[in-house]
Amino acid sequence: MKASGLDSQLNAKWARVRGRLRSEYGEQAYRSWLKPLTLVGHDNGAFKIAVPTRFIRDWVMQHYSDRLRQLLAGEVNEFRAVEIVVDSAKAPADAEASQPAYLQAAPAAVAELPSPGPGADDVSAPLDPRFTFENFVVGKSNELAYAAARRVAESKTVPFNPLFLYGGVGLGKTHLMHAIAWHIKKAQPERRVIYLSAEKFMYQFIRALRHKNTMAFKEQFRSVDVLMIDDVQFISGKDSTQEEFFHTFNALVDQNRQVVISADKSPSDLEGLEERMRSRLGWGLVADIHPTTYELRLGILQNKGEQLGAEIPPKVLEFLAHKILSNVRELEGALNRIVAHATLVGRPVTLETTQEVLHDLLRANDRRVTIEEIQRKVAEHFNIKISEMQSARRARAVARPRQVAMYLAKQLTSRSLPEIGRKFGGRDHTTVMHAVRKVEELRSTDSSFSEDVDLLRRMLEA
Ligand code: ADP
Ligand code: MG
């Protein structure tokens, strides 16, 4: 069946799906990968889509097929499957013009994402089209990291070197790095940007050692304008790669090239890294991403819900923001699951179905930490007796730790303010509210206090 032979209703549905893909993944990704998709057949909910090359097919399958499936399932009730076939003859009429430039020039040599700058493709990892600044929701916990990343992406010079981003898993480090790369590719395409994980960096280096072409390796890295290395905690230990990383790093910084690094810990806490390396990493701007707040979680859910194009009651979003505290990745996973479920069974999302669909995840998040554990850890940390958590004493040496414990109880558990108050010697919910505000206020003015609280939080979440 040819596209023109498909009924007009189906064509309209297909056009809607394409429109969504375009707005979700952006113009660049759309033109390279999604525009070449042609709907060539539809039979009782089974879609057949043609693409002009195998390479595009593989790429689409790997990166876009889940979303494509979701969107098609949202359009037809009887949705069953999507099949992607390679058929150069069935490419769209304007295929020539719409082909990415690299396909027109050298159809046989396609191997990586289309990106400017000779050689950059060899080492740079593919960028996720969703990880842009536009898709990044900013809140208190990540505003410094966000502002710093934007600054690096937007300046023509090097504002601080290196930019060191750190924070726990799933809090948006990789997202921000990709966003920097996307932005520079668009605004200053002449600058060469390399983004890769520290693991891949090590792998490439070891391979170069084995093939005795470390010169080429060095050249590759030392001629970039912006080098971004993700998750450098993986570099620690491996001596020769650490050495090479250090040299590369120094060479780039000396030539005033931008370096962006991410890790799960601050430079000074990176174990297994040489002291000179640790101190050098902290010379530029060190921006940490704190665990999410309720407001940020809610903002991310609203944003993501809109992107998914699903009707999700605000109550459900609030519920998820309260319950899923671990990280953004898990939060997104939860939302995807309830939307997929609703699409499949053809019923709207409700609080009940959400609890049902996510019961395992919710339990895991609930089990994460109890108020008793929080009280114990906080008391240990501040070196006070655990009984002080319930006592009526108001001396600051015990009142402050008690407030921290209340604050953490609010952040890390799903208990209500009155419930928390009861666990702290039968205090009123307004006392808990006051404690939460007080701790927030102190955190914004006293960075060492803030670090203490984060440390406690990480220990409790571990
Ligand atoms: P990390 O690299 O810190 O482990 P990622 O950058 O991979 O975390 O983020 C995990 C997921 O959460 C990604 O899908 C990312 O898009 C999303 N995410 C994290 N923070 C935000 C945010 N502030 N706004 C929108 N999405 C976010
Ligand atoms: Mg990451």
Side-chain angles (χ1 to χ4, degrees):
M1 207 186 330
K2 286 201 353 223
S4 56
L6 297 169
D7 65 72
S8 64
Q9 232 186 0
L10 192 62
N11 273 330
K13 289 177 176 173
W14 176 234
R16 263 201 301 277
V17 170
R18 283 162 61 100
R20 279 220 70 99
L21 290 171
R22 183 187 210 137
S23 67
E24 285 177 21
Y25 293 109
E27 202 49 40
Q28 184 174 356
Y30 179 79
R31 240 184 298 128
S32 306
W33 309 111
L34 301 163
K35 196 166 177 205
L37 303 182
T38 316
L39 179 61
V40 289
H42 175 248
D43 179 21
N44 278 326
F47 289 85
K48 191 168 180 179
I49 286 166
V51 294
T53 67
R54 240 185 62 202
F55 181 65
I56 294 191
R57 184 195 64 191
D58 293 347
W59 189 269
V60 169
M61 300 265 275
Q62 217 178 332
H63 295 88
Y64 305 108
S65 60
D66 285 348
R67 188 66 189 129
L68 184 60
R69 219 171 279 132
Q70 268 177 350
L71 289 172
L72 287 170
E75 289 290 340
V76 296
N77 294 328
E78 75 281 24
F79 175 79
R80 283 189 294 141
V82 185
E83 186 193 4
I84 302 182
V85 296
V86 179
D87 189 347
S88 47
K90 289 248 169 71
D94 60 344
E96 273 313 306
S98 72
Q99 292 275 330
Y102 70 92
L103 276 182
Q104 293 175 22
V110 176
E112 279 279 2
L113 254 185
S115 94
D121 298 0
D122 309 342
V123 279
S124 200
L127 300 173
D128 191 313
R130 294 165 305 174
F131 290 3
T132 60
F133 285 125
E134 291 71 36
N135 287 341
F136 193 82
V137 182
V138 187
K140 258 208 193 122
S141 57
N142 60 22
E143 64 188 358
L144 175 64
Y146 171 81
R150 266 224 102 105
R151 194 60 189 288
V152 162
E154 284 167 1
S155 7
K156 296 230 157 37
T157 55
V158 174
F160 17 73
N161 223 357
L163 168 60
F164 191 103
L165 301 170
Y166 79 94
V169 289
L171 295 180
K173 301 183 294 294
T174 299
H175 188 136
L176 283 177
M177 291 176 112
H178 285 207
I180 294 174
W182 283 125
H183 189 96
I184 295 178
K185 270 171 194 284
K186 205 161 63 188
Q188 306 174 57
E190 68 288 353
R191 290 180 90 187
R192 263 194 82 197
V193 180
I194 290 185
Y195 162 87
L196 79 171
S197 65
E199 260 176 317
K200 195 160 172 208
F201 178 89
M202 287 190 321
Y203 167 78
Q204 303 245 359
F205 179 63
I206 291 163
R207 201 176 56 171
L209 278 179
R210 198 170 301 138
H211 292 87
K212 304 204 176 4
N213 56 357
T214 49
M215 278 309 284
F217 175 86
K218 287 181 205 258
E219 275 310 301
Q220 226 166 14
F221 282 102
R222 293 180 189 184
S223 58
V224 303
D225 297 299
V226 182
L227 176 65
M228 296 197 270
I229 300 199
D230 207 350
D231 290 320
V232 290
Q233 69 272 13
F234 289 119
I235 283 188
S236 57
K238 322 265 188 319
D239 277 351
S240 60
T241 34
Q242 199 181 127
E243 189 77 6
E244 182 53 34
F245 173 67
F246 191 54
H247 287 317
T248 305
F249 177 89
N250 281 332
L252 289 172
V253 172
D254 287 346
Q255 291 171 53
N256 204 27
R257 309 287 172 80
Q258 180 70 56
V259 179
V260 182
I261 305 280
S262 88
D264 64 351
K265 298 185 196 68
S266 75
S268 53
D269 288 337
L270 279 172
E271 291 146 21
L273 220 59
E274 283 181 48
E275 180 47 38
R276 54 177 188 155
M277 181 80 218
R278 279 199 297 233
S279 84
R280 189 80 207 251
L281 285 174
W283 279 10
L285 182 78
V286 177
D288 71 339
I289 308 185
H290 296 270
T292 56
T293 59
Y294 171 76
E295 287 72 28
L296 181 64
R297 289 195 293 276
L298 189 62
I300 290 172
L301 286 167
Q302 283 162 345
N303 197 286
K304 181 90 184 159
E306 268 166 38
Q307 280 178 35
L308 288 173
E311 287 283 338
I312 306 161
K315 274 241 153 346
V316 169
L317 297 182
E318 284 160 22
F319 174 78
L320 292 176
H322 267 301
K323 289 286 187 176
I324 300 179
L325 312 163
S326 44
N327 65 50
V328 183
R329 193 172 297 138
E330 208 162 84
L331 203 60
E332 288 185 346
L335 197 62
N336 285 335
R337 263 169 71 183
I338 58 172
V339 171
H341 176 84
T343 313
L344 279 173
V345 302
R347 279 201 305 266
V349 175
T350 66
L351 203 51
E352 287 70 40
T353 56
T354 299
Q355 279 167 311
E356 222 172 273
V357 174
L358 299 179
H359 70 277
D360 52 334
L361 191 66
L362 293 171
R363 226 182 8 204
N365 269 278
D366 250 359
R367 221 190 295 122
R368 194 141 271 145
V369 58
T370 63
I371 293 184
E372 288 74 15
E373 264 174 85
I374 293 174
Q375 293 179 330
R376 189 161 44 76
K377 272 273 184 324
V378 174
E380 261 170 32
H381 181 83
F382 289 101
N383 216 359
I384 61 170
K385 290 206 204 80
I386 187 164
S387 59
E388 299 285 15
M389 289 290 163
Q390 277 103 32
S391 81
R393 274 184 65 202
R394 293 167 71 174
R396 179 174 290 179
V398 296
R400 192 70 84 222
R402 200 185 290 131
Q403 287 176 326
V404 168
M406 289 185 201
Y407 168 85
L408 288 170
K410 181 77 193 82
Q411 296 275 311
L412 300 179
T413 73
S414 48
R415 304 279 167 219
S416 65
L417 295 175
E419 280 175 307
I420 295 172
R422 274 199 291 281
K423 299 260 185 185
F424 285 82
R427 287 179 158 78
D428 193 68
H429 77 276
T430 53
T431 310
V432 182
M433 213 154 69
H434 172 75
V436 171
R437 284 217 199 97
K438 185 73 204 170
V439 170
E440 268 166 5
E441 186 190 309
L442 280 173
R443 283 189 59 152
S444 64
T445 54
D446 181 342
S447 65
S448 79
F449 175 77
S450 183
E451 272 165 29
D452 266 14
V453 176
D454 279 336
L455 181 76
L456 276 164
R457 180 173 181 146
R458 283 191 196 132
M459 278 185 340
L460 285 160
E461 280 180 328

